[in-house]
Amino acid sequence: MKAILFDAPGSPEVLRYDDAPDPTPGADEVLVRVRATAVNRADLLQRRGVYAPPPGASPILGLELAGEVLTPAGPWRVGDRVMAVVTGGGYAELAVVPVGMVMRIPDSLSFEEAGAIPEAFLTAFLNLFTLGRLQAGETVLIHAGASGVGTAAIQLARVAGARVFATAGSPEKCALCRELGAELTINYREESFAARVLDATGGRGVDLVLDFVGAPYWQQNTAALALDGRLQLIGFLGGSAGQIDLGPILAKRLHVTGTTLRRMPLPQKTALTADFVAFAHDRLASGELRPVIDTVYPLHQAAEAHRVMEANRNAGKLVLRVEESVPQP
């Protein structure tokens, strides 16, 4: 098969489109002919050599995919249109997926649209509901609102009946967040988000914060949270080290949780997938929920997609279309 490979960590230029061994599915896995995948921040970190794949995972980049089943297993049959989160291997023409992680693509969605769903929507669902315990009527602040996870989280929180606030780095990205359902948007380059949040909530603060930035946002995040508020740490785009004041955790009875979807045990990810499908499949089919796509690139242009994400120029997902060059088995 063809895949995106690299021999040593480095800049996007190390990526190459080349031959790789075909994967072999295990007893509880399906082989998928990949039609689309998407770029995630974890792919950039792995390419740089600072985020190794979990033991047993494919060394090939790519944490999500959409395509067609080639070898059946469990309830899945040849030709089924499916999408999934994977621990690696998405940037390739063929990939194996555990049976419990496979999700059916709604008929109304293309492979490119489906390829933009799994990682962003499952990460958002995990942090909003499974771990973040967001309820109807509560208020959530979503950082990086125009990112793949951010655009998914805004929509999921909205349909769950929550009030949604979001931060983004430009007027255009703020407008996208409002279009998706954010009641309040804050351009973090121009003003303090904590001050705006406290003003909008009458000084109470929000119930939940989804944070991708890390240490630089700690003080404002804790200031913006209400009593018994929850802070979900999803990433460290601004760095993980710094001086922090732990006082608000005790004073406000805050809950701080960190997680990475990629390294969750398979049984937990399988349960998460089932919960997400029950909540979201029909909403995706109807268009109430939708993937937000910035640009679709052919797979061999993965390096360009990485450059765009590193420069933070995208609003929504960067999708890689996988063109056919392997024979059907």
Side-chain angles (χ1 to χ4, degrees), residues 21-99:
D22 293 353
T24 302
D28 295 317
E29 295 177 324
V30 297
L31 181 67
V32 175
R33 167 68 177 90
V34 182
R35 299 292 183 178
T37 182
V39 179
N40 291 281
R41 292 280 175 182
D43 302 334
L44 276 59
L45 296 175
Q46 184 174 333
R47 190 207 71 226
R48 294 176 196 152
V50 296
Y51 186 39
S58 170
I60 295 172
L61 299 176
L63 301 182
E64 58 193 327
L65 58 82
E68 299 157 318
V69 172
L70 294 182
T71 60
W76 304 105
R77 298 294 175 258
V78 174
D80 284 348
R81 300 172 72 247
V82 299
M83 56 186 178
V85 163
V86 290
T87 54
Y91 288 21
E93 293 178 316
L94 300 171
V96 294
V97 183
V99 166

